[in-house]
Amino acid sequence: MKGRSRGVMALPMLLIIVLGIEGGTAYIDAGSGSYILQLVVGAFVGAFMAVGVFWRRIRAALSRRFSRNKG
């Protein structure tokens, strides 16, 4: 078992547990949809904020890259 991480060892066990379950009942809370929506909106806002903060660096890197390929 030397050299193997716990994640690699845990993956087969997780698959056995998940695939071994034949059927069951599940309940999704009414607030789960709004929580997922908040996560998605937060991810988009965070991505746009990151682009806004680093816009000069992004623009400079793109202009250097495309100006080299022209000539």
Side-chain angles (χ1 to χ4, degrees):
M1 282 199 230
K2 285 187 177 181
R4 287 191 170 190
S5 68
R6 290 185 184 191
V8 173
M9 300 276 300
L11 184 62
M13 293 295 273
L14 181 64
L15 288 175
I16 290 170
I17 292 170
V18 170
L19 296 176
I21 299 172
E22 292 180 15
T25 59
Y27 171 72
I28 297 176
D29 186 30
S32 298
S34 65
Y35 181 68
I36 292 170
L37 181 65
Q38 287 177 20
L39 290 174
V40 170
V41 169
F44 279 118
V45 169
F48 284 123
M49 289 297 294
V51 168
V53 168
F54 296 110
W55 179 244
R56 285 187 184 155
R57 290 184 186 177
I58 294 169
R59 191 174 63 186
L62 289 175
S63 66
R64 280 193 309 261
R65 182 178 191 133
F66 287 119
S67 65
R68 277 191 230 159
N69 292 335
K70 283 185 179 178

